[in-house]
Amino acid sequence: MNRIKGFCCNYTLSVEPDALKSEGLIPENVEIERLPCTGRLEVSELLDSFTQGVSAVFVVGCQLDKCHNLSGSRRASKRVSQAKKILEELEMDPGLVEMFFADRGETEPVVQAARLMSERTAG
Amino acid sequence: MIIAERKTLKELIGMVDGFNNILILGCRGCVAVCSAGGDKEVSTLASALKLGLSRQGRTIDIDERTLVRQCDPEYIDPLNDDASDYDAVLSMACGVGVNFIADRCPEVNVLPALDTTFYGANLSSGEWKEMCAGCGACVLHLTGGLCPVARCAKSLSNGPCGGSQEGRCEIHPDVACIWQQIYDKLSGLNRSDDMKNIMPMRDWTTAGHGGPRRRIREDLLP
Ligand code: SF4
Ligand code: SF4
């Protein structure tokens, strides 16, 4: 089964990722890593996930105008755009890396993102 | 500063074809400031190459390092001690850095990761524009500080070619006619009459047309 990697900040996902999985909310093939802020994610980490065998990567950060660290999710979204360009250069589908935004403490957008990316790589 | 941009990944993957281990070597000078070859770009390029190569079923060892500059001997000479162990050093400095390593490190196989483009200024985050061509005989005192060598498509010395329209260069509507700007600038300084002084024919030897340029300052020699 395709592996999907998600990165969320502590503010967009305040529950343990495993709890979402045990409740059946996110697919088994999705692995979520929580970070203090998505703004610390580097393009290299997004790309390395693919090299390590992941099929798609997503990042969920705060709404752009409500980021806990002011510009963290904006920075993350720019890095996701950079990663998309690199995937294009490598003749890969740029849709395999995606940025999503969520209100603080709302798990639903994270669940939706995980399901969307899982569907995108299915089949 | 010197502006540069990364070559395409396709070109770079082709360049390292057949190698087993390379060193990606960044520079913390100009290319770090223009976000083309500093620490962060070294790490992004390493990851991009690894991914690109892995998709072709290939792996190579890639080490990463960034020097303070690649245009001073004290920073690059240590490469003679350990960089010949690599099949290649992929330099993310401008062409000066690549040349200097090639000159001073006989056993190092150095390759350019960037295309060095121009001397430019940072207009805003992510936007740079050519301002000087390093002609070696500056005329900015005659032109209101605006360079006709680098910023006129024809490098004209004595006014516009006649093709500009509404202040735009005939090569492209996005390009300002620098001679219009020189006129506006000098007029604003009440110096528009300066334009009547005809610049003599230029001697382009100082601009590199007389072969590679060199500068020696006796007072600084060791
Ligand atoms: S090697 Fe090139 S990019 Fe690096 S500091 Fe020197 S001139 Fe600037
Ligand atoms: S006149 Fe020559 S030195 Fe002066 S800004 Fe133009 S290119 Fe540079």
Side-chain angles (χ1 to χ4, degrees):
Chain A
M1 194 187 263
N2 286 324
R3 284 168 57 208
I4 313 289
K5 173 91 191 220
F7 295 96
C8 300
C9 74
N10 279 333
Y11 304 97
T12 47
L13 187 63
S14 46
V15 297
E16 278 300 321
D18 279 350
L20 295 178
K21 224 181 254 185
S22 52
E23 284 174 35
L25 289 170
I26 58 171
E28 275 300 318
N29 58 333
V30 178
E31 175 198 330
I32 293 183
E33 186 176 330
R34 279 200 299 172
L35 310 163
C37 175
T38 52
R40 71 160 284 281
L41 260 180
E42 296 294 351
V43 180
S44 52
E45 287 172 87
L46 300 172
L47 300 176
D48 288 347
S49 302
F50 289 101
T51 310
Q52 286 151 13
V54 156
S55 301
V57 179
F58 66 94
V59 181
V60 189
C62 306
Q63 299 291 357
L64 284 174
D65 56 346
K66 293 187 195 129
C67 178
H68 179 82
N69 294 314
L70 299 178
S71 59
S73 58
R74 186 177 308 277
R75 284 208 300 276
S77 126
K78 285 191 168 172
R79 288 177 190 150
V80 167
S81 304
Q82 242 182 301
K84 277 179 179 289
K85 289 208 180 93
I86 288 174
L87 294 194
E88 271 177 345
E89 266 196 81
L90 295 172
E91 293 171 359
M92 293 171 69
D93 175 3
L96 295 177
V97 58
E98 212 60 80
M99 180 80 202
F100 299 88
F101 301 97
D103 282 320
R104 202 175 293 186
E106 287 269 327
T107 43
E108 186 56 21
V110 178
V111 169
Q112 292 299 337
R115 288 184 184 166
L116 178 75
M117 295 309 277
S118 192
E119 281 161 20
R120 217 174 255 188
T121 54
Chain B
M1 88 186 108
I2 294 182
I3 311 298
E5 58 189 280
R6 175 173 60 69
K7 286 181 175 287
T8 63
L9 291 171
K10 197 172 175 199
E11 195 175 355
L12 293 172
I13 288 172
M15 223 184 256
V16 301
D17 194 23
F19 296 150
N20 294 317
N21 65 344
I22 63 167
L23 171 67
I24 300 184
L25 189 67
C27 172
R28 294 205 180 105
C30 318
V31 291
V33 182
C34 71
S35 301
D39 295 77
K40 196 168 272 192
E41 292 75 29
V42 166
S43 135
T44 304
L45 177 59
S47 296
L49 284 182
K50 280 179 199 159
L51 176 58
L53 290 163
S54 76
R55 285 177 53 78
Q56 298 177 359
R58 294 155 61 197
T59 46
I60 63 174
D61 290 331
I62 300 181
D63 283 348
E64 302 168 32
R65 193 183 301 173
T66 305
L67 304 181
V68 175
R69 284 192 293 281
Q70 293 187 26
C71 51
D72 271 314
E74 61 264 45
Y75 303 115
I76 62 161
D77 283 355
L79 293 172
N80 282 314
D81 299 330
D82 63 355
S84 53
D85 296 341
Y86 293 100
D87 291 335
V89 171
L90 187 54
S91 166
M92 296 195 86
C94 71
V96 175
V98 180
N99 271 272
F100 208 34
I101 293 171
D103 270 358
R104 295 187 69 93
C105 308
E107 289 172 30
V108 172
N109 179 26
V110 64
L111 309 171
L114 305 184
D115 289 320
T116 304
T117 43
F118 54 83
Y119 307 157
N122 190 191
L123 301 191
S124 64
S125 180
E127 188 180 5
W128 297 270
K129 190 170 172 186
E130 184 166 22
M131 297 274 166
C132 168
C135 75
C138 194
V139 296
L140 296 186
H141 56 300
L142 305 173
T143 59
L146 300 167
C147 178
V149 181
R151 301 175 69 182
C152 166
K154 298 167 186 142
S155 296
L156 296 178
S157 293
N158 288 295
C161 63
S164 67
Q165 283 182 27
E166 292 171 4
R168 315 311 295 172
C169 175
E170 69 175 356
I171 63 158
H172 198 279
D174 282 351
V175 178
C177 168
I178 199 66
W179 274 106
Q180 175 75 52
Q181 294 196 333
I182 290 169
Y183 174 72
D184 293 343
K185 176 82 187 187
L186 289 173
S187 300
L189 297 170
N190 291 322
R191 283 177 48 201
S192 57
D193 275 357
D194 285 11
M195 286 187 68
K196 292 180 186 155
N197 299 326
I198 301 299
M199 275 190 227
M201 208 188 308
R202 286 181 66 112
D203 173 0
W204 291 100
T205 44
T206 59
H209 298 225
R213 293 168 284 178
R214 187 184 187 109
R215 176 166 190 244
I216 294 176
R217 276 240 342 231
E218 301 284 351
D219 56 324
L220 295 178
L221 291 176

